[in-house]
Amino acid sequence: MKQKDEKNQSQSDRALKIIPVTLLVFALCGLSFYLGGIFCSEKSLLEGKIVQELSKAVSSPEYSAENALQIKPVTFSECSIDYQDYTPCTDPRRWKKYGYRRLTFLERHCPPLYERKECLVPPPVGYKPPIRWPKSRKECWYRNVPYDWINKQKSNQNWLKKKGEKFLFPGGGTMFPKGVGAYVNLMQDLIPEMRDGTVRTAIDTGCGVASWGGDLLDRGILTLSLAPRDNHEAQVQFALERGIPAILGVISTQRLPFPSSSFDMAHCSRCLIPWTEFGGIYLLEVHRILRPGGFWVLSGPPINYEHRYQGWNTTIEEQRAALEKLQDLLTSMCFTVYATHDDIAVWQKSSDIGCYEKLTGPDVYPATCDDSIEQDAAWYTPLRPCVTSPRQKLKRSSVGSLPKWPQRLNIAPERISDVPGGSGNALKRDDSNWKVRAQHYKKILPAIGTDKIRNVMDMNTVYGGLAAALIDDPLWVMNVVSSYSANTLPVVFDRGLVGTYHDWCEAFSTYPRTYDLLHLDGLFAAESHRCHMKYVLLEMDRILRPEGHALIRESSYFMDAIETIAKGMRWNCHKEDTENSGENEKILVCQKTLWYASSTNSTR
């Protein structure tokens, strides 16, 4: 799952050579969390042992309360108001440094350490606490996302409308002028599996303002909306402001940060992705993340070209040729036509291993991927011009073979056996543990389960246990699996949840002020050998909504230092016992305050 970065790897190698194998120095490794951190790109076996020993050290009585990590009080200045929508790793200010071919500039390009901001990102002028779910699905405050480019450019398509101090979302779109409800009704007629729990997870590429994903929530389908960072449209920001799952991303030269066979359905409604260009490599990536038996839905060019081509500034001959090329490409990837009607066409990814065996010849394109290419490698991993073949040993991981939703949430998936120590019993224990924890969380943070909390992130999940424990509450959870930890994300998706790979030494792929609750469990103990605590907390402040909360479950060793930094970020925090009332681990309950930028105290 992890990819080598030669520069960072050399730093890691040098660091590992100077670390004596003693308990005292393991504890001192925690000091690196706030002194600078050691950045590397691939764990060796030795590094893994060091992390285990460090975790034991900082959770032992000797290094818990009496010898807790202490740092001096710190305060952070305000960033310039120009940074109100700052996305560090997809910053338009840096686009000119990268190539425009295949939209490379829209991919993740994180700033080096010396360029990292150490200031607090301010909200826009006039920002208000977001409208609460489910009302937020239909409206949001204009001042929270003060961009009306879409309103002006798409006014005839009813994406959104500005009315007074609010944006309203009528549910329109380029390819569904009668409204998103009618569009999805037609889609369900074509794909009956969308009605009975067979289809649970979906991805919407080029999501607009995420009306499609928002409509599917009421139908039991959890959709992750995807769109790139841009200067004007702020599509993902609108989606998250509405309370709809979304993440910044683009299919360009790197794989999307999801494992193979993640989604039951993928959707593109005139998303303008050139599917047949560059050898069909973009469609190959959709094929990789779509599970066998999954559905790919396309509306827009060249579908229904006979009736639409005149509005696309093209000729009927050009669109006919484009459709034929697309059909040939899909067939070569083991897709078959499932259903078509009006503007919607549906293909199904084959789960028949026989089809993929035909793609092994020397002159076949695209050929099946070599066994040495890890299907789930998806963190800064280049796109590969090959077809990922279904794994023959997996008999119950295709669409139609998985248990239907909601039963699949509580049944151990086949792929849990790929996780070290993973098993059905391990999943049951984990779920039981998180049910107890979730009840305790609701006692110390009563806002959980109310309309005050909608967008939740579990920053370092294992099997999605917290999300499963909160499944009946009016919220959704972004399950984040560290790119340096065991690859448990396939299990999260197989359970019918959504998530992403991420490295918390970098900024997350989202806009500021997009989550109501951030939860982490032992993240600082696990990552203290690599990441600077200050930068992780500043990133949490960036993505947390004003008046949002953070639940920081951590070794007592780190608690005082975390609380000191949190105070410097203008958070209000208090310590709570865990559900077991142990001394080696505590929970820091924090709330981010709502403040506005001052003209006299800001930095760029």
Side-chain angles (χ1 to χ4, degrees), residues 146-428:
Y147 307 109
D148 54 5
W149 184 91
I150 294 179
N151 181 44
K152 293 177 181 178
Q153 296 296 319
K154 304 286 186 178
S155 59
N156 63 326
Q157 296 171 10
N158 290 321
W159 284 30
L160 54 78
K161 292 182 178 180
K162 186 174 182 296
K163 184 177 181 180
E165 295 184 352
K166 294 180 179 179
F167 276 128
L168 306 181
F169 301 92
T174 306
M175 296 309 301
F176 29 95
K178 295 181 181 179
V180 67
Y183 178 80
V184 176
N185 286 340
L186 173 57
M187 195 176 298
Q188 286 188 325
D189 291 340
L190 298 177
I191 311 173
E193 291 86 347
M194 292 176 64
R195 298 182 184 272
D196 64 1
T198 301
V199 172
R200 163 61 181 172
T201 58
I203 184 169
D204 188 13
T205 54
C207 63
V209 294
S211 292
W212 186 74
D215 181 88
L216 286 173
L217 289 171
D218 286 339
R219 306 176 193 241
I221 297 176
L222 186 60
T223 302
L224 192 55
S225 296
L226 178 80
R229 174 70 158 93
D230 50 60
N231 274 325
H232 305 290
E233 297 181 50
Q235 299 171 75
V236 165
Q237 195 171 18
F238 274 118
L240 289 162
E241 186 70 16
R242 299 175 67 187
I244 301 171
I247 191 171
L248 285 169
V250 62
I251 308 179
S252 176
T253 66
Q254 305 285 334
R255 283 180 171 179
L256 295 174
F258 315 117
S260 62
S261 302
S262 294
F263 297 95
D264 305 327
M265 180 167 62
H267 173 256
C268 164
S269 175
R270 204 174 186 185
C271 58
L272 303 182
I273 297 175
W275 295 113
T276 58
E277 292 185 16
F278 308 109
I281 199 165
Y282 303 144
L283 198 51
L284 285 166
E285 176 61 0
V286 171
H287 183 281
R288 184 186 71 85
I289 64 175
L290 192 64
R291 73 174 66 250
F295 303 98
W296 186 58
V297 183
L298 177 66
S299 63
I303 306 305
N304 199 18
Y305 69 88
E306 300 94 332
H307 302 97
R308 292 281 191 177
Y309 76 94
Q310 290 180 326
W312 297 337
N313 296 319
T314 184
T315 66
I316 191 170
E317 291 79 14
E318 289 172 335
Q319 287 302 307
R320 182 187 297 113
L323 180 58
E324 291 174 353
K325 185 176 181 180
L326 178 62
Q327 289 174 329
D328 289 344
L329 180 62
L330 286 162
T331 300
S332 71
M333 296 180 185
C334 294
F335 279 100
T336 57
V337 176
Y338 189 79
T340 61
H341 185 73
D342 291 340
D343 294 327
I344 300 176
V346 183
W347 285 266
Q348 186 174 30
K349 176 180 172 179
S350 177
S351 55
D352 178 11
I353 196 65
C355 178
Y356 298 92
E357 290 176 346
K358 297 176 182 178
L359 306 181
T360 57
D363 298 323
V364 175
Y365 184 88
T368 53
C369 295
D370 186 272
D371 290 341
S372 65
I373 298 177
E374 174 54 55
Q375 293 187 7
D376 293 341
W379 186 245
Y380 293 120
T381 304
L383 294 181
R384 305 281 169 77
C386 56
V387 178
T388 52
S389 176
R391 295 166 58 188
Q392 294 189 44
K393 75 171 187 176
L394 299 179
K395 306 299 183 183
R396 301 186 308 277
S397 295
S398 61
V399 172
S401 297
L402 278 171
K404 295 181 179 180
W405 181 262
Q407 288 77 20
R408 69 190 271 188
L409 178 66
N410 301 310
I411 297 176
E414 285 181 299
R415 291 195 282 183
I416 199 170
S417 62
D418 295 333
V419 180
S423 66
N425 288 333
L427 182 66
K428 289 181 180 179

